[in-house]
Amino acid sequence: MKAMKISSKFVLLLLFITSSLLFVSSQTQVRDTDQESFTSIVISQTGLDFIKNLLITKAVSAIIPLQLPKIEKTVKIPFVGNVRMVLSNITIYRIDVLSSYVKPGESGVAIIASGTTCNLSMNWFYEYSTWLVPVDISDKGRASVQVEGMEVGLTLVLENQKGSLKLSLTDCGCYVKDISIKLDGGASWLYQGMVDAFEGQIAAAVENAISKKLKEGISKFDSFLQSLPKEIPVDDHASLNVTFVDNPLLTSSSIGFDINGLFTPRKKASVPNYHYKNLQPSVLCTDQIKMLGISLDAAVLNSASALYYDAEFMQWIVDKVPDQSLLNTAGWRFIIPQLYKKYPNDDMNLNISLSTPPVIRVAEHNIDATVYADLIIDVLEADKVIPVACISLVIHGSGSVKITGNNLGGSVKVSDFTMSLKWSKIGNLHLYLIQPVVWTVIQTVFLPYVNAHLGQGFPLPIIHGFTVQNAEIIFSTSKITVCSDVSYAESQYLNQLLVYLQ
């Protein structure tokens, strides 16, 4: 019985792996979004089985002991008369699941548990009166019951309802095959009478209790799904739009989901409207036994790029470099003589800011990035900052991607760059003389800064407690696909969710 209550839960929990929604506790107000998908997630049969086995174990421990209603019946026994029998404190205290499986299909997700056994304990009581004895006769004791060959099945339908997942139960059934009852205490001559009187009612009580619990659990989980926010906070600047797009795609061996997946600003200020081509990427894993596949379109990366650019996050002042002499006009006296002549021995800093969001392209073998930046040379004179020249940079680089924990991170290296003079207050500049200095700044300041942030990465839609394992990263035109197994460590949130569903 318990096994199937759990089985209903594990399928629902799978949905959250695909969206990370389980771990959103913020009060984020949901904005209206276009129904476009840039992230696709597929849970394979291997992944479904892994989650099913895990959650069956955890849910059984969470829902037992389970109380059943009191059973009362009056039977007529030869030479005795009418005997009133009562079973109370009926408790299921153990459940063992011999076999179970989850099977997605066109009509929904079918969940079957067969060969399930459960053990019950109870109090029994009987009383009767007879003309042979002028007083009522009663007896009581304990009994143990074993239910064998129990089969439980249900079918769930998942639908997209205004960007959230709606869960419906279309079929639910429970069947008890065999029951054996053993009495402790009382009159042994009444043993067979108890079996004959209560076997059918105990079976019906178990079947009804399981079906009721399944329906209650599905209803609670559907309400939980509908109440979840549609954005996941990433940091103070960004959230991830996890609005579901279209209905889940069910095949004979997987469940697939499309979500919007783009980064959006957390503040409600007006921002430029960046447009991306809606490709709805598919998930193609070379190893079909991997549990999980997550495909990200290049638009996801570019949405993050645009968002952080708009938040003025991509600008900084360089006031420390490995060769600190480069931040004094004396260090530039042979490169830009007029700078030193006009501002002799004054300290400097370099103001670097991106002029447009970086452009990221995903190809079949790598990631390319183009960065457009302005480098302003500032002279520090007394308490004044004097901008003296601005150089426009176009930096071309290539990136690599790696999985760190549950984060998709990476690094970038510069392949080449070009520069042009945007404006100058100190006359014309010989850029070929400045180029080695700029290259040094890019290599020793710009790249370490960028790679430090890229190395942290951003979270993949994985439920807390689960960790990506043996991940494979596949590049294809315009998308990155992560195919992996998952491992599990104890999750407080998952335990709380199981308690919520009891």
Side-chain angles (χ1 to χ4, degrees):
M1 166 187 116
K2 295 246 166 153
M4 280 317 297
K5 179 178 180 183
I6 294 165
S7 297
S8 67
K9 294 176 181 179
F10 76 75
V11 171
L12 303 174
L13 285 170
L14 288 174
L15 307 181
F16 294 104
I17 297 177
T18 67
S19 65
S20 293
L21 296 179
L22 280 177
F23 310 103
V24 182
S25 58
S26 70
Q27 301 298 317
T28 305
Q29 180 181 357
V30 178
R31 296 191 296 272
D32 292 333
T33 56
D34 294 334
Q35 293 300 304
E36 296 180 317
S37 170
F38 300 95
T39 299
S40 294
I41 303 163
V42 169
I43 304 176
S44 69
Q45 186 66 57
T46 305
L48 293 174
D49 291 338
F50 173 81
I51 300 299
K52 176 206 65 174
N53 293 335
L54 170 65
L55 293 180
I56 282 180
T57 301
K58 295 194 68 65
V60 165
S61 63
I63 64 175
I64 57 175
L66 180 64
Q67 294 289 126
L68 273 63
K70 181 174 68 173
I71 299 174
E72 185 172 347
K73 189 173 184 178
T74 299
V75 298
K76 187 173 183 178
I77 298 179
F79 306 109
V80 175
N82 292 329
V83 179
R84 176 175 170 264
M85 301 179 181
V86 179
L87 299 182
S88 61
N89 196 25
I90 307 172
T91 305
I92 298 176
Y93 64 88
R94 178 175 177 176
I95 296 175
D96 294 303
V97 181
L98 179 63
S99 64
S100 62
Y101 70 87
V102 53
K103 192 68 175 176
E106 293 183 359
S107 60
V109 180
I111 306 165
I112 304 294
S114 59
T116 301
T117 63
C118 61
N119 297 89
L120 297 82
S121 63
M122 65 185 69
N123 297 330
W124 62 267
F125 168 83
Y126 77 85
E127 66 177 358
Y128 69 94
S129 61
T130 176
W131 60 272
L132 295 174
V133 182
V135 296
D136 290 342
I137 299 173
S138 64
D139 202 352
K140 63 181 179 179
R142 296 280 296 168
S144 59
V145 179
Q146 182 165 353
V147 176
E148 297 181 343
M150 185 168 65
E151 294 187 0
V152 187
L154 70 160
T155 302
L156 302 172
V157 173
L158 301 170
E159 297 177 304
N160 177 22
Q161 188 176 77
K162 297 181 179 180
S164 298
L165 284 177
K166 178 170 181 57
L167 186 73
S168 303
L169 179 64
T170 61
D171 188 25
C172 179
C174 176
Y175 172 70
V176 172
K177 183 179 180 181
D178 297 310
I179 285 183
S180 62
I181 302 175
K182 181 181 179 180
L183 294 181
D184 296 318
S188 60
W189 59 269
L190 197 56
Y191 172 78
Q192 191 60 49
M194 291 289 290
V195 172
D196 294 339
F198 289 102
E199 185 178 82
Q201 285 182 277
I202 294 174
V206 171
E207 292 170 351
N208 292 336
I210 290 176
S211 297
K212 181 180 179 181
K213 285 292 184 179
L214 284 174
K215 293 175 182 178
E216 290 176 353
I218 297 299
S219 177
K220 288 181 180 179
F221 223 131
D222 178 57
S223 298
F224 188 71
L225 284 170
Q226 299 298 313
S227 68
L228 290 171
K230 299 176 183 177
E231 293 181 351
I232 299 175
V234 176
D235 55 26
D236 292 339
H237 302 278
S239 294
L240 193 64
N241 184 337
V242 289
T243 304
F244 283 89
V245 178
D246 297 329
N247 290 323
L249 177 63
L250 277 63
T251 71
S252 61
S253 60
S254 66
I255 302 178
F257 304 85
D258 285 331
I259 62 174
N260 179 279
L262 295 182
F263 285 80
T264 58
R266 295 195 66 183
K267 297 180 180 179
K268 307 303 177 184
S270 176
V271 298
N273 186 19
Y274 299 102
H275 297 283
Y276 308 101
K277 186 178 179 181
N278 178 10
L279 298 178
Q280 291 195 356
S282 59
V283 178
L284 298 175
C285 293
T286 56
D287 188 348
Q288 297 300 317
I289 66 172
K290 291 290 187 182
M291 296 179 184
L292 184 67
I294 304 173
S295 182
L296 307 173
D297 187 79
V300 174
L301 306 179
N302 281 301
S303 70
S305 169
L307 185 148
Y308 287 106
Y309 170 80
D310 184 72
E312 299 181 349
F313 194 70
M314 296 183 178
Q315 58 183 27
W316 59 97
I317 303 296
V318 178
D319 54 10
K320 290 183 180 180
V321 293
D323 184 358
Q324 197 65 21
S325 66
L326 292 177
L327 293 182
N328 187 282
T329 56
W332 295 67
R333 62 184 181 274
F334 300 117
I335 303 172
I336 311 176
Q338 63 270 34
L339 172 64
Y340 179 71
K341 182 180 295 186
K342 189 171 183 178
Y343 304 101
N345 295 313
D346 282 341
D347 289 333
M348 303 164 52
N349 65 38
L350 304 176
N351 186 341
I352 301 177
S353 62
L354 273 60
S355 53
T356 64
V359 178
I360 302 170
R361 299 179 182 86
V362 180
E364 291 189 0
H365 302 290
N366 63 349
I367 299 177
D368 295 324
T370 303
V371 178
Y372 299 89
D374 288 338
L375 188 155
I376 298 176
I377 301 173
D378 291 330
V379 173
L380 308 179
E381 191 174 68
D383 58 349
K384 295 188 298 182
V385 178
I386 305 172
V388 296
C390 178
I391 299 172
S392 293
L393 304 174
V394 181
I395 305 171
H396 300 281
S398 60
S400 61
V401 177
K402 64 178 181 179
I403 300 294
T404 303
N406 285 345
N407 282 12
L408 180 67
S411 61
V412 65
K413 60 181 180 180
V414 174
S415 53
D416 63 76
F417 76 100
T418 59
M419 50 192 295
S420 60
L421 183 62
K422 193 170 185 178
W423 54 262
S424 172
K425 297 179 180 178
I426 52 176
N428 191 31
L429 306 181
H430 299 291
L431 294 182
Y432 69 92
L433 295 176
I434 300 174
Q435 188 171 17
V437 177
V438 175
W439 176 255
T440 299
V441 171
I442 291 174
Q443 291 290 342
T444 61
V445 179
F446 176 78
L447 273 185
Y449 177 87
V450 171
N451 285 330
H453 286 79
L454 290 178
Q456 297 175 9
F458 64 87
L460 292 168
I462 302 291
I463 190 173
H464 281 300
F466 292 86
T467 303
V468 170
Q469 196 172 53
N470 302 321
E472 176 189 11
I473 299 175
I474 301 172
F475 294 97
S476 58
T477 304
S478 82
K479 66 182 178 183
I480 302 171
T481 300
V482 178
C483 302
S484 74
D485 294 327
V486 294
S487 60
Y488 174 76
E490 199 68 21
S491 169
Q492 181 180 0
Y493 194 93
L494 181 58
N495 293 335
Q496 291 174 348
L497 184 59
L498 291 174
V499 172
Y500 167 81
L501 291 170
Q502 292 183 31

